[in-house]
Amino acid sequence: MDRLAVIGNISRDRTRYPDRRGGDFLGGGALHIALAAARAGVTAAPVSVVGGDLAHIPADSLLIDVDWSALHVAAGPSGAFTIDYDVDGHLVAVTAEYGVSEGLTGHALAHIARHPRDRYHVCCRRPLDVPVVLRTLTRCAARFSIDFFLPSATQLIPAAAPWLSHADVIFTNAVEHRLLEQVMRRTATEQNPSAEQTTSVLRSVVVTDGARPVRWFRHGRLQESCTPPDARPVEVTGAGDTLAGHLLARTLHGDSPAAALRSAVHAATRHTAAPRPVPGPA
């Protein structure tokens, strides 16, 4: 079975809610996705750069399912994010200190050059140079999926547009999906003023929407939908990443789309119910 190489950040995260939920966690898209995929039974490696302050996480007994062979430890502080939510878990603001993750693009390109046959997932989030990475993956005919992060989606979805049709799966939330449709419509019009196609050129798009049904589109047509179980979330950070990692893993295992989506939605719900959803030191 293919190794899933997840290009993205591993960081120190601090979440804050008006009702005093939240706290300090080990986080980052690459960690959440790789951990969810590993727990679902595939080999998953974060392609990430951390500082000496997080150099010890591969030894954490609660993270042993993850393949740490693609982790690079650099001199300096790891990335750190402070994430503010409203009481319903909607994102309000993010403050970022990227630290040594500024070197992520170079590390990712080196990994792709050594392992072009890995199955890739790209967390399209700063400080990664998304166009360079997606262009490289497309040129070497690598299989890849991608996701976005709302605070940077307005800039990074258009930047990724030339390579979106090459992605096996694109993961978005509802707001990002609307941005994606706008970008695809504008791109199609620029290429052919009479064109009516929008997201139909995209192979597969999974859209999360809080407590509302998760929708899975294929070439612009709704193929699967699954409503999350009724549960009050404790910590929402990483829920979408958990769904993505689990879904990718179950797809690699050969599950049907309906079964893979149902399993992934339940995994994300379990993630939100845990007060400390990702183990390991913060």
Side-chain angles (χ1 to χ4, degrees):
M1 184 178 294
D2 296 340
R3 174 172 67 172
L4 179 64
V6 186
I7 299 173
N9 297 321
I10 294 178
S11 57
R12 294 177 176 272
D13 287 354
R14 171 170 292 176
T15 63
R16 302 187 296 199
Y17 299 80
D19 57 5
R20 298 184 183 275
R21 280 179 293 155
D24 295 327
F25 308 105
L26 182 63
L31 178 65
H32 287 297
I33 291 171
L35 183 58
R39 287 174 170 172
V42 303
T43 301
V47 182
S48 304
V49 181
V50 299
D53 54 328
L54 293 182
H56 54 295
I57 61 174
D60 191 299
S61 61
L62 297 175
L63 298 173
I64 58 173
D65 292 335
V66 176
D67 174 359
W68 292 107
S69 61
L71 182 70
H72 176 64
V73 179
S78 300
F81 295 82
T82 299
I83 309 168
D84 290 290
Y85 296 100
D86 66 18
V87 71
D88 295 318
H90 299 125
L91 185 66
V92 174
V94 176
T95 302
E97 297 177 6
Y98 296 122
V100 297
S101 63
E102 293 280 6
L104 176 59
T105 300
H107 177 54
L109 294 176
H111 184 89
I112 295 168
R114 292 192 302 269
H115 305 283
R117 300 280 72 83
D118 276 359
R119 171 70 162 78
Y120 284 89
H121 181 85
V122 183
C123 302
C124 296
R125 314 175 191 188
R126 296 178 178 133
L128 186 69
D129 190 331
V130 171
V132 168
V133 171
L134 296 185
R135 180 170 62 244
T136 301
L137 290 171
T138 300
R139 284 178 175 173
C140 69
R143 294 188 60 191
F144 65 91
S145 53
I146 62 180
D147 73 83
F148 295 95
F149 185 43
L150 186 57
S152 58
T154 302
Q155 293 77 38
L156 293 186
I157 290 178
W163 301 279
L164 294 179
S165 62
H166 297 278
D168 286 342
V169 190
I170 301 171
F171 294 90
T172 70
N173 64 24
V175 176
E176 294 160 357
H177 188 234
R178 289 192 289 272
L179 290 170
L180 179 64
E181 289 183 316
Q182 293 169 8
V183 167
M184 297 310 296
R185 187 177 298 110
R186 183 168 63 247
T187 300
T189 301
E190 291 171 352
Q191 294 175 350
N192 181 358
S194 64
E196 296 180 356
Q197 63 179 346
T198 55
T199 52
S200 62
V201 300
L202 304 179
R203 299 176 186 177
S204 181
V205 181
V206 175
V207 185
T208 59
D209 194 8
R212 288 174 284 277
V214 180
R215 296 168 291 157
W216 193 346
F217 296 89
R218 292 182 183 275
H219 293 286
R221 295 180 177 272
L222 180 64
Q223 297 295 305
E224 303 292 343
S225 178
C226 181
T227 301
D230 187 15
R232 183 181 184 279
V234 177
E235 177 56 67
V236 300
T237 301
D241 295 328
T242 297
L243 184 143
H246 192 98
L247 181 62
L248 291 170
R250 297 318 309 172
T251 301
L252 287 171
H253 273 297
D255 287 12
S256 69
L261 182 61
R262 183 170 58 253
S263 182
V265 168
H266 281 77
T269 300
R270 290 193 299 271
H271 175 94
T272 66
R276 188 178 178 86
V278 177

